[in-house]
């Protein structure tokens, strides 16, 4: 037995397959409505680009419910279509090298507060849109930058991944810091 992600009520584990997330249809509808309100906080710089997909357990999914490729524009959709799709666990945005980048910080948030290293990194960048990851334990820093390929590294114990293309990232709309996208000078971060 596990708990409903909305009310905490009991959810029976099935004999096979994934455990349901909700105890009832009422809780599932509430979660869907809550998600719709949350994702409406996504900045226009992302919403206006038709590079949206869904995801299921972090695997990319087209709005129609089939598995998607992050390198095939035929799998991508508008923000509105992706937000209205009933498939998958949530939204994802495809990075295609047009200048939109995302800095992904893993395991840096405890009880809704970024740790010291994550806070220092955020303060070192121009004010731009930052949101919590789906788990609530990480952050996504969105902005514009000129970068050809992604990078992964650990700096002072902080796990950092920088993505400019050929990837998608989950988008929650749960802002840590809401702002218009800024141009990010990543030279100090990547050296």
């Amino acid at each position: 037995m596990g708990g409903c992600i909305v009310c905490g009520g009991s959810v029976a584990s099935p004999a096979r397959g994934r455990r349901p997330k909700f105890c009832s249809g009422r809780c599932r509808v509430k979660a869907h409505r809550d998600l719709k309100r949350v994702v409406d906080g996504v900045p226009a710089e992302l919403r206006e680009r038709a590079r949206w997909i869904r995801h299921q357990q972090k695997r990319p999914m087209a709005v129609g419910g089939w598995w998607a490729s992050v390198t095939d524009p035929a799998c991508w959709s508008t923000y509105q279509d992706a937000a209205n799709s009933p498939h998958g666990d949530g939204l994802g945005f495809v990075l295609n090298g047009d200048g939109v980048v995302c800095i992904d910080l893993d395991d840096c948030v405890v009880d809704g507060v970024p740790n010291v290293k994550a806070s220092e990194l955020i303060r070192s960048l121009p004010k731009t849109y930052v949101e919590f990851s789906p788990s609530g334990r990480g952050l996504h820093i969105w902005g514009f930058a000129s970068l050809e390929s992604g990078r992964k590294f650990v700096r002072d114990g902080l796990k950092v991944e920088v993505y400019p293309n050929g990837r998608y990232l989950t988008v929650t709309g749960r802002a840590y810091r809401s702002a218009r996208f800024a141009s990010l000078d990543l030279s100090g971060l990547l050296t």
Side-chain angles (χ1 to χ4, degrees):
M1 296 286 267
C4 173
I5 66 171
V6 173
C7 72
S10 64
V11 177
S13 295
R16 295 185 311 169
R18 292 189 339 178
R19 184 181 68 78
K21 298 177 186 177
F22 310 104
C23 64
S24 67
R26 172 179 274 168
C27 282
R28 183 158 45 139
V29 168
K30 180 177 180 346
H32 179 73
R33 288 183 179 148
D34 289 348
L35 177 64
K36 180 127 179 67
R37 279 193 291 275
V38 167
V39 298
D40 286 343
V42 174
E45 291 89 347
L46 292 180
R47 285 193 322 262
E48 64 194 20
R49 290 173 166 78
R51 297 206 312 264
W52 289 90
I53 58 173
R54 302 285 298 175
H55 67 85
Q56 185 167 335
Q57 296 179 342
K58 292 193 174 183
R59 186 172 172 192
M61 174 182 279
V63 298
W66 58 88
W67 300 124
S69 167
V70 297
T71 58
D72 181 3
C75 296
W76 310 341
S77 184
T78 65
Y79 168 78
Q80 203 59 46
D81 287 346
N84 290 331
S85 173
H87 301 288
D89 300 324
L91 294 172
F93 183 81
V94 177
L95 297 164
N96 73 349
D98 72 345
V100 175
V101 299
C102 185
I103 302 170
D104 184 11
L105 306 179
D106 291 329
D107 300 319
C108 66
V109 177
V110 177
D111 296 328
V113 179
N115 66 25
V116 172
K117 294 300 178 184
S119 296
E120 288 173 0
L121 174 60
I122 292 168
R123 279 194 304 274
S124 75
L125 297 169
K127 188 172 181 180
T128 194
Y129 178 70
V130 181
E131 69 175 10
F132 292 100
S133 66
S135 71
R137 295 186 311 269
L139 294 171
H140 295 161
I141 303 169
W142 294 89
F144 296 113
S146 178
L147 186 65
E148 291 186 24
S149 62
R151 310 268 173 81
K152 286 182 168 185
F153 54 93
V154 177
R155 177 171 290 155
D156 297 327
L158 182 65
K159 298 177 205 169
V160 181
E161 300 172 63
V162 184
Y163 299 115
N165 61 15
R167 298 286 302 230
Y168 91 95
L169 274 97
T170 57
V171 177
T172 64
R174 293 190 331 252
Y176 167 70
R177 180 171 73 187
S178 194
R180 293 197 52 82
F181 273 36
S183 290
L184 306 175
D185 178 3
L186 300 178
S187 59
L189 177 64
L190 300 176
T191 54

